[in-house]
Amino acid sequence: MPTSQTDNPTVVGGGVKKVIYTLNTVRKMGVKKAAKALNSNNTCKACALGMGGQQGGMTNELGEFPSVCNKSVQAQSSDTQAAIPLEIFEHTLDELRELDGKEMEHLGRLNTPLHKKAGDDKLSPISWDEAMAIAVKRFKATDPDRSFFYSSGRSSNEAGFIFQLFARMFGTNNVNNCSYYCHQATSVALGTTIGTGTATIELDDLDHCDLVFVVGANPSSNHPRFIHKLKACRERGGEVIIINPAKEPGLIKFAVPKSPKSLLLGGSDIASDYLQPNIGSDVAVFMGLAKAVLEQKTEDQYFIDSHTEGFEELIKKLQQQSWADICKLTGLHKTDFDRIAALYGKSEKAVFAWGMGLTHHLNGVENIESLVNLALLRGMVGKHHAGLLPLRGHSNVQGIGTIGVKPVLTEEVFKRMETAFDIALPRKEGMDTMACMEAAHKDLVDTALIMGGNLYAANPSSDWAAEALDKIGFKLFLTTTLNKGHVNGIDNSECIILPVTARDEEWSPTTQESMFNFVRLSDGGIMRHDCVRPESVILCDLADSILPDAPFAFNEFKNHSKTREAIAEIVPGMEALADIDVAKKEFHINGRLFHTPEFKTSSGKASFIACDLPEITTNQAFPFTLTTLRSEGQFNSIIYENKDTYRGTDDRWCVMMNKDDMKRLDVEQHSQITVASEFGTMENVKVFTFDVPKGNILAYYPEANVLTGTAVDARSKTPSFKNTAVNITK
């Protein structure tokens, strides 16, 4: 690999340490419990790469076994915990807030409803009847326009459909899922360029591609199963190009646990080349690569002429941008662009994969549009074994969006829903997640139903987020475990926290959708706790009590077969869902895969989008650029371990910096500093050296959210978690 290696080249992703960690986690769970959880016919609870379902919990859609990773084991370890002792609830909120994320997660499973009255300082166990009665009373007293419904991506398609139907029949389109804080920029950008919002490839395509770009993502930590596909690409002579400001050890070499050869050799090569641009320069990176492709004359002119539009506008934009400006903004050299373009020019089947390193910016949509330009330039969308792959986080975040948990639905779906249930739904445009939070901060939200997740930790500007949530008079949480979001933002308000079943504990089968648009069936059926209920059951009981005059009883949707029949009738592409529990036939959603150059735009052609370079600005008060990231020991906002073995950190309240920046500031390894932005301050922060470009620093999410602002991308409404100007003082 050309250019610099990581400062710690001995660190390798995966390996024996991960095997031992997994074995220790299994021992803590109990071998019998672990085997039952991992082998059952239920979809993995971690990322949306997808495995499990009717072929078995450790088998993917291609039938590959064993398909399991430490993220899956971590998720199962959380769900197989014993119940939280009732004595815990004798402690005050202040005492519970002293726990860190890991300690909160390891209190155990919630196995009793909790009530916190406005002004009280404790969470008090109550009965289900009491909890439901309070929730029904609060919602009945609420103007629907002053309500907010939010779902995580771990809920099932069935619960999500009931959730959004209940919200709309209640009278609001303020219906959101966590994608507005992750891949909404992807959905918008793919909509403008190719007319869809999801991946264009299936898992099988990764087994035949000859080049994979991995941009703004760290699958060695967040999608370990994807690393297997990257390793396989290298082994068959293909290339893996990483574009990431941070030189992640696990993306250089990864010791694949199920490969004896990989373990014995000290790891398999993953990256064949590695670009480290400055944070926030992604549009410039893709512009530079596009210019280099055109200079090397490796564009696919036939594809461009036959299947795209907007190419001339892109050419003009590229001609306007000088190499000097592109190199200054990115921190890269012209030779870097030429080298990567040459590799791309040799490829016949390239896949572009990306994560929130591209979406979490104020120009996140333009970042993705510029990436798609590069793919279209060589005809890499609309063919077998090539295409676009947004790396989704939560295991069913894509499915939750597919079945309608979002503020804006197409008119076709609205009409189908109204016809199916003989109802009239509100047409007032719903607010996105940040708009709902801003409304709450202005005292314009009275009631919220929060299904799963950790909305407090998901929000930028942590102090602001707590204030906004606390101004919501009543919050109803549905959750398996407690997290920081259940003890922050509730001081002056009332809340009910209801314990729900995990996916493999559901009372009837459920379905989930992978990032490859593949729908799986989970059997459920495992019994671990005696006082938990499925989300769908809770939602149906709430809806029937709050909407007694509805033309049908929600109670019938407790039978998930009925729910799936409704989804199949209402949501285009989901027709095969109607009898999935009978046929046991899992499927790809119709119209999502692009193996031929037929696009979903009005013209049937893909569109090049000519974007402007982001402005080059210098802020002397805040001269560093911060990006937040997740550690190897966490999944989204869930913290399983405080130590990050890949990056060599042992404290989450830390920053990672370029060694030359540290020397210039006279800062030593492990010393403590203060990091400040215009939005907040982190004091007594531990410093670690890391291979990142000068002027760029890294810190963990959600701890560093205190530094991030609430401004959003105008088009996707996604906050800029990955690009914050900060200052550092000793």
Side-chain angles (χ1 to χ4, degrees), residues 512-525:
Q512 294 78 35
E513 178 187 336
S514 78
M515 68 174 73
F516 298 99
N517 308 293
F518 189 75
V519 177
R520 289 180 172 82
L521 178 68
S522 294
D523 287 350

Side-chain angles (χ1 to χ4, degrees), residues 229-302:
K229 299 301 179 184
L230 301 181
K231 169 181 173 287
C233 180
R234 291 298 311 276
E235 289 177 343
R236 60 177 178 266
E239 309 284 353
V240 173
I241 297 170
I242 309 295
I243 303 178
N244 191 327
K247 182 68 74 68
E248 300 286 6
L251 298 184
I252 298 170
K253 277 185 174 291
F254 195 95
V256 178
K258 77 171 187 177
S259 169
K261 180 181 178 182
S262 181
L263 290 173
L264 289 171
L265 292 177
S268 302
D269 291 332
I270 302 300
S272 47
D273 212 314
Y274 207 123
L275 292 184
Q276 291 180 266
N278 288 320
I279 295 165
S281 66
D282 303 293
V283 169
V285 171
F286 301 130
M287 273 191 169
L289 289 173
K291 281 174 70 74
V293 166
L294 292 169
E295 287 178 0
Q296 295 174 15
K297 302 185 185 305
T298 56
E299 72 273 19
D300 186 335
Q301 197 62 51
Y302 175 80

Side-chain angles (χ1 to χ4, degrees), residues 431-556:
M431 293 188 290
D432 60 81
T433 307
M434 180 54 75
C436 286
M437 289 295 296
E438 289 174 336
H441 202 264
K442 296 174 183 176
D443 287 314
L444 298 177
V445 177
D446 296 327
T447 304
L449 201 167
I450 301 171
M451 186 164 71
N454 184 345
L455 183 56
Y456 162 73
N459 268 285
S461 192
S462 304
D463 293 341
W464 176 90
E467 291 173 3
L469 290 168
D470 204 14
K471 289 182 179 181
I472 300 174
F474 177 75
K475 292 176 287 294
L476 177 63
F477 296 97
L478 278 60
T479 186
T480 56
T481 59
L482 291 182
N483 58 50
K484 302 286 278 188
H486 299 124
V487 296
N488 287 279
I490 65 170
D491 281 3
N492 303 299
S493 51
E494 181 182 21
C495 73
I496 293 285
I497 307 176
L498 298 178
V500 302
T501 54
R503 178 171 301 158
D504 52 4
E505 300 166 355
E506 291 274 359
W507 296 354
S508 61
T510 61
T511 57
Q512 294 78 35
E513 178 187 336
S514 78
M515 68 174 73
F516 298 99
N517 308 293
F518 189 75
V519 177
R520 289 180 172 82
L521 178 68
S522 294
D523 287 350
I526 297 175
M527 297 293 292
R528 297 191 183 100
H529 297 281
D530 59 1
C531 200
V532 297
R533 298 181 184 180
E535 292 167 333
S536 56
V537 169
I538 297 168
L539 292 169
C540 286
D541 287 341
L542 283 172
D544 281 337
S545 297
I546 294 168
L547 306 172
D549 298 325
F552 65 91
F554 272 80
N555 186 64
E556 66 183 71

